[in-house]
Amino acid sequence: MQYEAPETTKAAVGLLAKAKGSAYVLAGGSDLLVRMKGGFVEPDLVVDIKRIKPMREIRKTASGFTIGAAVSCAEMNENKALIKAWPGVVEAAGLIGSKQVQSRCTVVGNLCNSSPAADSVPALFAAGARAVIQGPRGKRKVAVEDIPVGPGKNALKKGELIEAIELPARKGKSGDAYLRFIPRSEMDIAVVSAGVSLTLDAKGVIKDARVALGAVAPTVVLVKAAAKAIVGTKLDGTALEKLGEAASAACSPIDDKRGTVEFRTKVAAVLARRAAEIAYKRAGGK
């Protein structure tokens, strides 16, 4: 196995593009190293991106936040400006693994690993985040919901890597939240999860919303019908009921030892409603 630790994005892309055999990007390694140790993957090339300075930074700009691909979840939870603007995204990132894992794991790695139960991904979907992709043909930006294409599979092409995640600037009265159900109190994989982000007008009416569900389909699901159910409301009982119905309708889960189809479908509605209520309060709704 060849190990490389380039100091520029251009060099990293060049290594990935020219690689013969299987090539993997190492950001935090909390997924990759476990898979390697278990014998599930045997990389011919590992490209460590932690020495690329821009990928280790969280930058606040007029258009929002840029989170480098090698920024750990622990670092996100220490950034006060990011927490204030996107508390749901930061909370979701803070649920990945143990305290030790937090200092290594990244939301970009979580996204690229493409598990339908990934914690940070529903929150990123709900936030309307974009992935900044660098490749042999240059830079492109895509919505995060276009990255996962199946369990463990993403849309990146040969030679491409995600350089950063962009979160939009908050407009007016906005809030987001992420909730998950797990059998244990912590350090477990979501059986069902929900992320909600919304924006209110001056009267407290929801004028924009995004709802995403995790662990209920082959990939995390952006549920447009659920968002539509609460837009134009003050999140009253009727709106919450319609939100829950839309969330359940979007589910196509599997039966496994962690939960049944019926259970996941029901809990998805409950979590979506609860996350929406938290996001609404954070946005200043009453």
Side-chain angles (χ1 to χ4, degrees):
M1 183 187 76
Q2 181 184 359
Y3 169 84
E4 298 285 350
E7 296 184 359
T8 66
T9 301
K10 183 178 180 180
V13 169
L15 288 166
L16 293 170
K18 296 176 182 177
K20 295 180 180 180
S22 59
Y24 290 83
V25 173
L26 174 64
S30 56
D31 284 314
L32 178 59
L33 296 181
V34 172
R35 293 168 66 196
M36 289 171 63
K37 186 175 181 179
F40 297 105
V41 297
E42 295 183 2
D44 295 297
L45 170 67
V46 172
V47 178
D48 188 339
I49 61 173
K50 293 190 297 299
R51 294 184 185 178
I52 302 174
K53 188 177 179 180
M55 293 197 189
R56 295 299 307 272
E57 298 174 343
I58 298 175
R59 299 184 297 278
K60 183 181 179 181
T61 67
S63 58
F65 288 85
T66 300
I67 303 170
V71 171
S72 72
C73 292
E75 290 169 321
M76 290 175 62
N77 273 274
E78 294 170 354
N79 190 296
K80 294 182 179 179
L82 182 62
I83 293 170
K84 182 178 180 180
W86 292 101
V89 170
V90 177
E91 286 170 349
L95 290 172
I96 302 172
S98 63
K99 294 294 184 183
Q100 296 91 334
V101 169
Q102 280 284 301
S103 66
R104 298 287 302 183
C105 64
T106 68
V107 294
V108 171
N110 207 218
L111 176 64
C112 291
N113 193 50
S114 299
S115 166
D119 277 311
S120 68
V121 180
L124 291 174
F125 274 33
R130 295 194 301 174
V132 182
I133 300 172
Q134 286 279 11
R137 296 185 178 182
K139 180 186 295 188
R140 62 190 180 102
K141 298 181 181 181
V142 303
V144 289
E145 55 264 33
D146 293 331
I147 299 298
V149 295
K153 298 179 181 180
N154 62 57
L156 296 180
K157 301 174 183 177
K158 180 176 174 60
E160 289 188 331
L161 56 76
I162 295 179
E163 179 182 58
I165 293 292
E166 292 183 342
L167 292 170
R170 280 308 209 181
K171 298 178 181 179
K173 301 171 68 175
S174 300
D176 73 321
Y178 172 79
L179 293 174
R180 68 176 183 178
F181 174 83
I182 56 174
R184 303 188 298 183
S185 60
E186 59 182 325
M187 288 178 62
D188 208 340
I189 300 170
V191 178
V192 184
S193 61
V196 177
S197 178
L198 47 81
T199 301
L200 315 181
D201 65 15
K203 296 181 179 180
V205 175
I206 299 171
K207 62 179 183 179
D208 184 47
R210 289 171 67 92
V211 179
L213 300 175
V216 296
T219 65
V220 172
V221 181
L222 186 65
V223 190
K224 294 181 180 180
K228 185 178 179 180
I230 59 175
V231 171
T233 77
K234 290 188 175 182
L235 207 64
D236 53 26
T238 300
L240 285 170
E241 183 177 352
K242 290 182 179 179
L243 166 64
E245 291 173 353
S248 290
C251 295
S252 56
I254 59 171
D255 276 316
D256 62 20
K257 63 182 180 180
R258 300 178 58 77
T260 63
V261 168
E262 182 181 12
F263 179 78
R264 285 187 162 108
T265 301
K266 183 175 181 179
V267 174
V270 174
L271 292 183
R273 290 195 296 263
R274 291 178 181 176
E277 289 178 308
I278 294 170
Y280 187 74
K281 289 180 181 178
R282 286 176 172 172
K286 298 179 180 179

